[in-house]
Amino acid sequence: MRAHLRAVTMTAAITLAPAVALAVAAADPAAGAEAAVADATTAVTPALIALQPADGAREVNPDTHLVLRFAQPPVLGASGLIRIYDAATGKLVDTLDLSIPAGPTERTTLPQAPYLATPYVYADGPRATNATTKAGTPSTGADPGDPGRYQLTIIGGFTDGFHFHPVIVQDTSATIYPHNNLLAYGKRYRVQVDQAVFGKALQWEFSTKPHGPAKDTERVVVSADGSADFSTVQGALDHVPDHPAKRVTIFVRNGDYEEIVYFRNKRNLTIQGEQRDKVRIHYANNEVFNPHPPNISTNEVAGTFPSRRAAFAADNVRSVHLRDLTLETTLQGQAEGLLITGAENIVANTTIIGSGDALQVNGSTYLPDVKVIGGGDTILGRGPAFFERCEIQSQHAYMWIRNPAGNHGNVFVGCRFTTLGGGQTELARLPANKGRNYPYAEAVLIDATLSGISPAGWGPVEGDVSNVHFWEYNSRNVDGTPVDVSKRHPASRQLTMERDAETIRNYRNPAWVLDGWMPPR
């Protein structure tokens, strides 16, 4: 099997014979076609026409996914093993067992769990991986539940692990996801796929690059086709140092990146997409699929246990810039396209798509020219966040902001709010949350363009509103005319230049909103 797999010249209805046809077709396409024709009466699996990495491929990135392309959409079996061996030693490196469900599909009905009594510990130093630590190893006293019940992998050093899909089928392609960080540089690997997985047994080999980029490099490149330094965004993030001497840029070429991205403790890092609408980083993740531990809650207060429900999460980071990207979770429910926690971070010219809580921002963040699309409570978090020239689209209430007294909440300057679905909704709501209120909630709109906003504009609001800042200045309709604010919720307030000139000037200033930090504009 030294030759690369080549396309088999046959109609889509004719398939490769089980077990050995792949090796036959790779060495002799004509013989492979003959074998397939002979077995056409019994075969049920569409022809396999390409592999990435190909059989015999060299210089493969260790973070590669394994992509199989068929002549017709394949049917994924509910059992069978995918095994990866060190071809030189015969050692088993990784196993994926398709009889194990990917993750839960229904919300668990557990009592409300407490928050951590002390802040979650973010330790510096070497990050735990699947190669050094068993996925499901709990951190900070978290109850791991039953770690063998679902698929589990460590991403970004989070030892508690993430549920994931070992194989994802999209149209005529099936992508195999090895556990993160188990493949290494300078190795030759043999992949064996049981017949139960795709309807025929498969085997092929490839070799990885002898080494990766230098640790002190200031720029690495990601390409989904494997032609750059890394094949996945997570692979690049795992490689770059946490505290580089100079800013490091991860450049992501145009492509589709279906992966959960989670990283923590990074500083002085830019993730730069090639083109905003052509770099799509996405995954079907939400609070049900990757819930908080049964004994610890997440998301509500600073220092809490990290959330695992986002498609893309930047956790405890500082001076991280995300530019020209599309970040999306494709599951409904509580599911962020982006969850970012830290300080002095920038999200620029980026599209963020989610369901409930599409974007969560915790810590000083500047967001220019961002588009956020969600189903309701579309922007969540503790702030402070400064949005400039952004487009926010939501089917239900745009915000449920939860900032404390010590920092600002969400401030929007020159932004556009468009309600989806043809109805009307509110800019922000403030109900009690399991008995908890947010008396210092702040959402301020300066020079906003509004479409599909209810006459009340804000609400419902519960609890003490004396320190709530639901404020607007110069809100306009799409045609440029002033919005009728005569029926606005009594907890909100309309700013005027005659009375509030200094307040309006302050809210236009990012540094005033973002704890004294002035982002580059």
Side-chain angles (χ1 to χ4, degrees), residues 39 71 226 241 405 487:
D39 195 61
K487 298 180 180 179

Side-chain angles (χ1 to χ4, degrees), residues 160-471:
D160 301 80
F162 291 77
H163 300 137
F164 75 107
H165 297 273
V167 181
I168 296 177
V169 174
Q170 300 281 11
D171 298 324
T172 59
S173 294
T175 302
I176 298 171
Y177 288 76
H179 290 89
N180 292 41
N181 307 112
L182 289 184
L183 304 188
Y185 289 103
K187 296 286 187 177
R188 182 165 55 92
Y189 293 104
R190 181 173 70 256
V191 183
Q192 291 184 351
V193 182
D194 286 354
Q195 181 173 339
V197 177
F198 295 116
K200 58 171 168 272
L202 305 173
Q203 177 174 294
W204 77 100
E205 295 185 2
F206 61 88
S207 300
T208 56
K209 294 176 177 177
H211 56 78
K215 278 292 186 180
D216 60 354
T217 186
E218 295 177 25
R219 186 177 188 269
V220 296
V221 180
V222 180
S223 183
D225 64 5
S227 62
D229 299 314
F230 298 94
S231 300
T232 66
V233 176
Q234 189 66 47
L237 286 163
D238 291 342
H239 178 83
V240 300
D242 291 349
H243 306 283
K246 296 182 179 179
R247 176 166 291 274
V248 172
T249 295
I250 296 175
F251 181 78
V252 185
R253 290 179 182 166
N254 292 343
D256 188 272
Y257 301 86
E258 189 166 9
E259 54 177 307
I260 293 176
V261 173
Y262 174 86
F263 60 101
R264 58 173 52 164
N265 292 20
K266 299 291 185 184
R267 305 289 187 270
N268 215 21
L269 172 69
T270 296
I271 303 177
Q272 173 68 61
E274 184 176 358
Q275 291 176 280
R276 171 180 185 160
D277 295 331
K278 295 183 179 181
V279 176
R280 182 174 179 239
I281 305 169
H282 64 104
Y283 204 81
N285 198 16
N286 67 5
E287 176 70 33
V288 172
F289 189 66
N290 272 301
H292 62 76
N295 64 323
I296 300 175
S297 284
T298 61
N299 281 1
E300 186 65 19
V301 295
T304 191
F305 192 91
S307 174
R308 290 172 287 183
R309 72 192 194 187
F312 191 109
D315 190 14
N316 191 44
V317 299
R318 191 179 193 93
S319 192
V320 165
H321 300 174
L322 309 177
R323 300 181 181 275
D324 299 292
L325 306 165
T326 293
L327 310 176
E328 179 179 6
T329 183
T330 55
L331 274 186
Q332 297 296 304
Q334 291 177 299
E336 289 92 352
L338 170 64
L339 195 164
I340 187 166
T341 300
E344 299 183 6
N345 298 308
I346 296 176
V347 182
N349 199 42
T350 288
T351 299
I352 302 161
I353 305 171
S355 181
D357 316 338
L359 168 65
Q360 185 175 159
V361 179
N362 301 310
S364 52
T365 307
Y366 176 53
L367 302 102
D369 305 299
V370 166
K371 184 175 184 178
V372 185
I373 304 172
D377 294 336
T378 292
I379 301 174
L380 191 73
R382 301 187 299 271
F386 189 95
F387 296 80
E388 192 166 28
R389 302 181 303 275
C390 293
E391 182 177 352
I392 319 296
Q393 299 179 5
S394 184
Q395 187 170 1
H396 301 292
Y398 288 79
M399 284 173 276
W400 190 354
I401 181 64
R402 303 173 180 184
N403 61 282
N407 61 258
H408 290 283
N410 292 336
V411 175
F412 302 85
V413 176
C415 296
R416 184 184 184 105
F417 293 78
T418 304
T419 300
L420 303 173
Q424 290 187 332
T425 191
E426 288 69 47
L427 293 163
R429 68 188 187 114
L430 202 62
N433 183 19
K434 300 181 179 67
R436 185 182 181 92
N437 291 103
Y438 309 96
Y440 297 94
E442 178 178 75
V444 177
L445 278 59
I446 307 294
D447 301 329
T449 299
L450 307 182
S451 176
I453 305 301
S454 70
W458 308 84
V461 179
E462 298 181 21
D464 180 10
V465 300
S466 58
N467 291 300
V468 170
H469 291 179
F470 283 175
W471 293 354

Side-chain angles (χ1 to χ4, degrees), residues 471-494:
W471 293 354
E472 293 173 79
Y473 169 71
N474 191 36
S475 293
R476 298 278 166 167
N477 296 306
V478 174
D479 62 5
T481 58
V483 168
D484 180 359
V485 296
S486 61
K487 298 180 180 179
R488 284 299 197 243
H489 193 287
S492 68
R493 177 183 166 193
Q494 296 295 312

Side-chain angles (χ1 to χ4, degrees), residues 94-134:
D94 194 12
T95 301
L96 298 167
D97 184 349
L98 266 66
S99 69
I100 301 173
T105 57
E106 295 183 2
R107 183 181 294 276
T108 56
T109 55
L110 295 172
Q112 175 68 19
Y115 296 99
L116 291 174
T118 58
Y120 187 85
V121 176
Y122 288 94
D124 281 329
R127 202 80 77 238
T129 71
N130 289 294
T132 62
T133 307
K134 181 177 175 59

